[in-house]
Coordinates of all heavy atoms in Angstrom, one line a residue:
K1 N 82.8 -190.0 -158.8 CA 82.4 -189.0 -157.8 C 83.7 -188.7 -157.0 O 84.4 -189.6 -156.6 CB 81.3 -189.6 -157.0 CG 80.8 -188.7 -155.9 CD 79.7 -189.4 -155.1 CE 79.2 -188.6 -154.0 NZ 78.1 -189.3 -153.3
V2 N 83.8 -187.4 -156.8 CA 85.0 -186.9 -156.1 C 84.6 -186.1 -154.9 O 83.7 -185.2 -155.0 CB 85.9 -186.0 -157.0 CG1 87.1 -185.5 -156.2 CG2 86.3 -186.8 -158.2
N3 N 85.2 -186.4 -153.7 CA 84.9 -185.6 -152.5 C 85.9 -184.5 -152.6 O 87.1 -184.7 -152.7 CB 85.2 -186.5 -151.3 CG 85.1 -185.7 -150.0 OD1 85.8 -184.8 -149.7 ND2 84.1 -186.2 -149.2
V4 N 85.4 -183.3 -152.5 CA 86.2 -182.1 -152.6 C 87.3 -182.0 -151.6 O 88.5 -181.7 -151.9 CB 85.4 -180.8 -152.7 CG1 86.3 -179.5 -152.7 CG2 84.5 -180.8 -153.9
K5 N 87.0 -182.3 -150.3 CA 88.0 -182.2 -149.3 C 89.2 -183.1 -149.5 O 90.3 -182.8 -149.3 CB 87.3 -182.5 -147.9 CG 86.4 -181.4 -147.5 CD 85.7 -181.7 -146.2 CE 84.7 -180.7 -145.7 NZ 83.9 -180.0 -146.6
V6 N 88.9 -184.3 -150.0 CA 89.9 -185.3 -150.3 C 90.8 -184.8 -151.5 O 92.0 -184.9 -151.4 CB 89.3 -186.7 -150.6 CG1 90.4 -187.7 -151.1 CG2 88.7 -187.2 -149.3
Y7 N 90.1 -184.3 -152.5 CA 90.8 -183.8 -153.7 C 91.7 -182.6 -153.3 O 92.8 -182.5 -153.7 CB 89.8 -183.3 -154.7 CG 90.4 -183.0 -156.0 CD1 90.8 -184.0 -156.9 CD2 90.6 -181.7 -156.4 CE1 91.4 -183.7 -158.1 CE2 91.2 -181.4 -157.6 CZ 91.6 -182.4 -158.5 OH 92.1 -182.1 -159.7
L8 N 91.2 -181.7 -152.4 CA 92.0 -180.5 -152.0 C 93.2 -180.9 -151.2 O 94.3 -180.3 -151.4 CB 91.1 -179.5 -151.2 CG 90.1 -178.8 -152.0 CD1 89.2 -177.9 -151.1 CD2 90.7 -178.0 -153.2
K9 N 93.1 -182.0 -150.4 CA 94.2 -182.5 -149.7 C 95.3 -183.0 -150.6 O 96.5 -182.7 -150.4 CB 93.8 -183.6 -148.7 CG 94.9 -184.1 -147.8 CD 94.4 -185.2 -146.9 CE 95.6 -185.6 -146.1 NZ 95.4 -186.9 -145.4
K10 N 94.9 -183.7 -151.6 CA 95.9 -184.2 -152.6 C 96.6 -183.0 -153.4 O 97.8 -183.1 -153.6 CB 95.2 -185.1 -153.6 CG 94.8 -186.4 -153.1 CD 94.1 -187.3 -154.1 CE 93.6 -188.6 -153.5 NZ 92.8 -189.4 -154.4
I11 N 95.8 -182.0 -153.7 CA 96.4 -180.9 -154.4 C 97.3 -180.1 -153.5 O 98.4 -179.8 -153.9 CB 95.2 -179.9 -154.9 CG1 94.6 -180.5 -156.1 CG2 95.8 -178.5 -155.2 CD1 93.5 -179.6 -156.7
R12 N 96.9 -180.0 -152.3 CA 97.8 -179.3 -151.3 C 99.1 -180.0 -151.2 O 100.2 -179.3 -151.3 CB 97.1 -179.2 -149.9 CG 97.9 -178.5 -148.8 CD 97.1 -178.5 -147.5 NE 95.8 -178.0 -147.6 CZ 94.7 -178.8 -147.4 NH1 94.8 -180.0 -147.1 NH2 93.5 -178.2 -147.6
E13 N 99.1 -181.3 -151.0 CA 100.3 -182.1 -150.9 C 101.2 -182.0 -152.2 O 102.4 -181.9 -152.2 CB 100.0 -183.5 -150.6 CG 99.4 -183.7 -149.2 CD 98.9 -185.1 -148.9 OE1 98.9 -185.9 -149.8 OE2 98.4 -185.3 -147.8
K14 N 100.5 -182.1 -153.3 CA 101.2 -182.1 -154.6 C 101.9 -180.8 -154.8 O 103.1 -180.8 -155.3 CB 100.1 -182.4 -155.7 CG 100.7 -182.4 -157.1 CD 99.6 -182.7 -158.1 CE 100.0 -182.6 -159.5 NZ 98.9 -182.9 -160.5
F15 N 101.3 -179.7 -154.5 CA 101.9 -178.4 -154.8 C 103.0 -178.1 -153.7 O 103.9 -177.3 -154.0 CB 100.8 -177.3 -154.9 CG 100.2 -177.2 -156.2 CD1 99.3 -178.2 -156.7 CD2 100.6 -176.2 -157.1 CE1 98.8 -178.1 -157.9 CE2 100.0 -176.1 -158.4 CZ 99.1 -177.1 -158.8
F16 N 102.8 -178.6 -152.5 CA 103.8 -178.4 -151.5 C 105.1 -179.1 -151.9 O 106.2 -178.6 -151.7 CB 103.4 -178.8 -150.1 CG 102.7 -177.8 -149.3 CD1 101.5 -178.1 -148.6 CD2 103.2 -176.5 -149.1 CE1 100.8 -177.1 -147.9 CE2 102.5 -175.5 -148.4 CZ 101.4 -175.8 -147.8
K17 N 104.9 -180.3 -152.4 CA 106.1 -181.1 -152.8 C 106.8 -180.6 -154.1 O 108.0 -180.7 -154.2 CB 105.7 -182.6 -153.1 CG 105.3 -183.4 -151.9 CD 104.9 -184.8 -152.2 CE 104.4 -185.5 -151.0 NZ 103.9 -186.8 -151.3
N18 N 106.0 -179.9 -154.9 CA 106.6 -179.3 -156.2 C 106.1 -177.9 -156.4 O 105.2 -177.7 -157.2 CB 106.2 -180.2 -157.3 CG 107.0 -179.8 -158.6 OD1 107.7 -178.8 -158.6 ND2 106.7 -180.6 -159.7
P19 N 106.7 -176.9 -155.7 CA 106.3 -175.5 -155.9 C 106.3 -175.0 -157.3 O 105.6 -174.0 -157.6 CB 107.2 -174.8 -155.0 CG 107.8 -175.8 -154.0 CD 107.8 -177.1 -154.8
N20 N 107.1 -175.6 -158.2 CA 107.2 -175.2 -159.6 C 105.9 -175.3 -160.3 O 105.7 -174.7 -161.3 CB 108.3 -175.9 -160.3 CG 109.7 -175.4 -159.9 OD1 109.8 -174.2 -159.5 ND2 110.6 -176.3 -159.9
L21 N 105.0 -176.2 -159.8 CA 103.7 -176.4 -160.4 C 102.9 -175.0 -160.4 O 102.1 -174.8 -161.3 CB 102.9 -177.4 -159.6 CG 103.4 -178.9 -159.8 CD1 102.6 -179.8 -158.9 CD2 103.2 -179.3 -161.2
W22 N 103.1 -174.2 -159.5 CA 102.5 -172.9 -159.4 C 102.7 -172.1 -160.7 O 101.8 -171.5 -161.3 CB 103.0 -172.0 -158.3 CG 102.4 -172.4 -156.9 CD1 102.8 -173.5 -156.2 CD2 101.4 -171.7 -156.2 NE1 102.1 -173.5 -155.0 CE2 101.2 -172.4 -155.0 CE3 100.6 -170.6 -156.5 CZ2 100.3 -172.1 -154.1 CZ3 99.7 -170.2 -155.5 CH2 99.5 -170.9 -154.4
Y23 N 103.9 -172.2 -161.3 CA 104.2 -171.5 -162.5 C 103.7 -172.2 -163.7 O 103.6 -171.5 -164.8 CB 105.7 -171.3 -162.6 CG 106.3 -170.6 -161.3 CD1 107.1 -171.4 -160.4 CD2 106.0 -169.3 -161.0 CE1 107.6 -170.8 -159.3 CE2 106.4 -168.7 -159.8 CZ 107.2 -169.5 -159.0 OH 107.7 -168.9 -157.8
E24 N 103.3 -173.4 -163.6 CA 102.7 -174.1 -164.8 C 101.2 -173.8 -164.9 O 100.6 -173.8 -166.0 CB 102.9 -175.6 -164.6 CG 104.3 -176.0 -164.7 CD 104.5 -177.5 -164.5 OE1 103.6 -178.3 -164.7 OE2 105.7 -177.9 -164.2
V25 N 100.5 -173.5 -163.8 CA 99.1 -173.3 -163.8 C 98.7 -171.9 -163.6 O 97.5 -171.5 -163.9 CB 98.4 -174.2 -162.7 CG1 98.6 -175.7 -162.9 CG2 98.8 -173.8 -161.3
I26 N 99.6 -171.0 -163.3 CA 99.3 -169.6 -163.1 C 100.3 -168.8 -163.9 O 101.5 -168.9 -163.7 CB 99.3 -169.1 -161.6 CG1 98.3 -169.9 -160.8 CG2 99.0 -167.6 -161.5 CD1 98.4 -169.7 -159.3
I27 N 99.8 -167.9 -164.8 CA 100.6 -167.0 -165.6 C 100.0 -165.6 -165.4 O 98.8 -165.5 -165.3 CB 100.6 -167.4 -167.1 CG1 100.0 -168.7 -167.4 CG2 102.0 -167.3 -167.6 CD1 100.1 -169.1 -168.8
P28 N 100.8 -164.6 -165.4 CA 102.3 -164.6 -165.5 C 102.9 -165.0 -164.2 O 102.3 -165.1 -163.2 CB 102.6 -163.1 -165.8 CG 101.4 -162.4 -165.2 CD 100.2 -163.3 -165.3
R29 N 104.2 -165.2 -164.3 CA 105.0 -165.6 -163.1 C 104.8 -164.7 -161.9 O 104.8 -165.2 -160.8 CB 106.5 -165.7 -163.5 CG 107.4 -166.2 -162.5 CD 108.8 -166.4 -162.9 NE 109.7 -167.0 -161.9 CZ 109.8 -168.3 -161.8 NH1 109.2 -169.1 -162.6 NH2 110.5 -168.8 -160.9
E30 N 104.7 -163.4 -162.1 CA 104.5 -162.5 -161.0 C 103.2 -162.8 -160.3 O 103.2 -162.7 -159.0 CB 104.5 -161.0 -161.5 CG 105.8 -160.6 -162.1 CD 106.0 -161.1 -163.6 OE1 105.0 -161.5 -164.3 OE2 107.2 -161.1 -164.0
A31 N 102.2 -163.1 -161.0 CA 100.9 -163.5 -160.3 C 101.1 -164.8 -159.5 O 100.6 -164.9 -158.4 CB 99.8 -163.7 -161.4
A32 N 101.8 -165.7 -160.0 CA 102.0 -167.0 -159.3 C 102.8 -166.7 -158.0 O 102.4 -167.2 -157.0 CB 102.8 -168.0 -160.2
E33 N 103.8 -165.9 -158.1 CA 104.6 -165.5 -156.9 C 103.8 -164.8 -155.9 O 103.9 -165.1 -154.7 CB 105.8 -164.7 -157.3 CG 106.8 -165.5 -158.1 CD 107.9 -164.7 -158.7 OE1 107.8 -163.4 -158.8 OE2 108.9 -165.3 -159.2
R34 N 102.9 -163.9 -156.3 CA 102.1 -163.1 -155.4 C 101.1 -164.1 -154.7 O 100.9 -164.1 -153.5 CB 101.3 -162.0 -156.1 CG 100.4 -161.2 -155.2 CD 99.7 -160.1 -156.0 NE 99.0 -160.6 -157.2 CZ 97.8 -161.2 -157.2 NH1 97.2 -161.5 -156.1 NH2 97.2 -161.6 -158.3
L35 N 100.4 -164.9 -155.5 CA 99.5 -165.9 -154.9 C 100.1 -166.9 -154.0 O 99.6 -167.3 -153.0 CB 98.7 -166.6 -156.0 CG 97.7 -165.7 -156.7 CD1 97.2 -166.4 -158.0 CD2 96.5 -165.3 -155.8
Y36 N 101.3 -167.3 -154.4 CA 102.1 -168.3 -153.6 C 102.3 -167.7 -152.2 O 102.1 -168.3 -151.2 CB 103.4 -168.7 -154.3 CG 104.2 -169.7 -153.5 CD1 104.0 -171.0 -153.7 CD2 105.2 -169.3 -152.6 CE1 104.7 -172.0 -153.0 CE2 105.9 -170.2 -151.9 CZ 105.7 -171.5 -152.1 OH 106.4 -172.5 -151.4
A37 N 102.7 -166.4 -152.2 CA 103.0 -165.8 -150.9 C 101.7 -165.6 -150.1 O 101.7 -165.8 -148.9 CB 103.7 -164.4 -151.2
E38 N 100.7 -165.1 -150.7 CA 99.4 -164.9 -150.1 C 98.9 -166.2 -149.4 O 98.3 -166.1 -148.4 CB 98.4 -164.3 -151.0 CG 98.6 -162.9 -151.4 CD 97.6 -162.3 -152.4 OE1 96.6 -163.0 -152.7 OE2 97.9 -161.3 -153.0
C39 N 99.0 -167.3 -150.1 CA 98.5 -168.6 -149.7 C 99.5 -169.4 -148.9 O 99.2 -170.5 -148.5 CB 98.0 -169.4 -150.9 SG 96.7 -168.6 -151.8
K40 N 100.7 -168.8 -148.7 CA 101.7 -169.5 -148.0 C 102.0 -170.9 -148.6 O 102.2 -171.9 -147.9 CB 101.4 -169.6 -146.5 CG 101.3 -168.3 -145.8 CD 101.0 -168.5 -144.3 CE 101.1 -167.2 -143.6 NZ 99.9 -166.3 -143.7

């Protein structure tokens, strides 16, 4: 069983520490860059 709030906190930290993960999970690169900017 997973608590979503706890899971989202882990994801937030993981992606802040390694911004290159955006390009691994979102394609094309332009979309990842746009979403990265929109979500800060």
Side-chain angles (χ1 to χ4, degrees):
K1 181 178 177 180
V2 179
N3 177 297
V4 174
K5 289 177 181 39
V6 172
Y7 189 79
L8 291 176
K9 183 179 180 196
K10 288 179 184 176
I11 284 182
R12 183 180 307 114
E13 292 170 359
K14 181 179 177 180
F15 278 75
F16 272 132
K17 287 179 184 175
N18 187 357
N20 287 328
L21 290 174
W22 283 78
Y23 306 110
E24 293 178 21
V25 297
I26 301 172
I27 349 183
R29 185 176 184 85
E30 296 79 20
E33 290 170 348
R34 178 179 53 79
L35 289 168
Y36 182 86
E38 287 175 12
C39 296
K40 297 180 173 84

